[in-house]
Amino acid sequence: MVNKIWFFFIVIGILVAAVKGEIGLVTSTLLNSAEKGVTVAFGLISILTFWLGIMKLIERSGLINIFIKLLKPFVKFLFPDVPSSHPAMSSILMNISANLLGMGSAATPLGLKAMEQLQQLNEDKETASDAMCTFLAINTSSLTIIPTTVIALRMATGSTDPTRIVGTTIVATFCSSFVAISLDRFFRKLYRRR
């Protein structure tokens, strides 16, 4: 569906340029945009490589274990049906830790692994469990403290203060996560009443 929408926009843009007699503008804009895209991509590669390296250092130094210990009581409260010793709990903790540190690309495989392990605990294989729904709600609420990808994008596009968004990101993360968890609990109670 999204591909059709983009195709529609591209065709309309080309038609409008042709009608206005500025079809040459399409070619120059296309080439300039491609050049900008490559420049931004190379800027992102270096910044993301740096942050992925920092994440590896945090993981290997044991700091991630401290972070996980701090999160464990909160995560146990959110996922009471998941045994503390089950591998799903470790994957959930690692995923949340990576997301909080802004490492979405590192968090994705951990999140997929956590869902797979939560499915093993699920009695009804055709329906998502409460833990799976909670985990999905938390992940879609954009749980992050250090938005490394957005900072990288802002740096690559020439922002004078790329880290300026950290404060608002923390507020937005708190609000979106609170709403996601609240709605998860509300709909769970509503569903159980039926």
Side-chain angles (χ1 to χ4, degrees):
M1 179 67 180
V2 174
N3 289 339
K4 291 178 183 176
I5 292 170
W6 279 111
F7 180 74
F8 174 76
F9 283 140
I10 291 169
V11 169
I12 292 298
I14 291 170
L15 289 175
V16 168
V19 167
K20 291 177 101 181
E22 298 177 353
I23 200 73
L25 189 60
V26 172
T27 306
S28 64
T29 302
L30 183 68
L31 293 174
N32 288 336
S33 297
E35 182 181 340
K36 255 187 197 171
V38 169
T39 304
V40 169
F42 277 123
L44 277 177
I45 289 169
S46 61
I47 294 164
L48 288 175
T49 301
F50 170 76
W51 281 108
L52 285 171
I54 294 293
M55 186 63 179
K56 272 292 185 206
L57 288 173
I58 288 170
E59 187 180 334
R60 288 188 180 163
S61 70
L63 286 175
I64 194 81
N65 295 330
I66 295 169
F67 208 62
I68 286 171
K69 282 181 184 176
L70 291 172
L71 286 174
K72 197 163 193 170
F74 177 68
V75 172
K76 188 63 191 154
F77 168 75
L78 289 175
F79 301 96
D81 301 337
V82 179
S84 294
S85 59
H86 194 276
M89 185 60 79
S90 296
S91 294
I92 290 168
L93 285 163
M94 289 291 286
N95 171 268
I96 290 174
S97 299
N99 273 324
L100 284 171
L101 295 171
M103 303 309 301
S105 55
T108 300
L110 295 166
L112 293 172
K113 186 72 173 169
M115 275 298 201
E116 187 179 292
Q117 293 165 338
L118 288 171
Q119 181 65 1
Q120 293 170 0
L121 294 171
N122 191 2
E123 293 174 13
D124 180 6
K125 303 296 184 195
E126 298 297 316
T127 305
S129 67
D130 290 347
M132 292 169 89
C133 292
T134 300
F135 186 64
L136 184 64
I138 289 169
N139 268 278
T140 56
S141 72
S142 185
L143 185 68
T144 191
I145 293 174
I146 305 168
T148 54
T149 305
V150 177
I151 290 171
L153 280 169
R154 289 173 53 90
M155 286 177 72
T157 55
S159 173
T160 56
D161 190 6
T163 59
R164 188 174 189 179
I165 59 161
V166 172
T168 53
T169 299
I170 292 171
V171 172
T173 289
F174 175 77
C175 292
S176 64
S177 298
F178 177 78
V179 169
I181 293 167
S182 299
L183 288 174
D184 173 62
R185 299 294 187 212
F186 171 77
F187 284 116
R188 186 177 305 165
K189 286 180 183 178
L190 185 69
Y191 178 74
R192 287 196 178 135
R193 286 185 186 161
R194 287 185 185 181

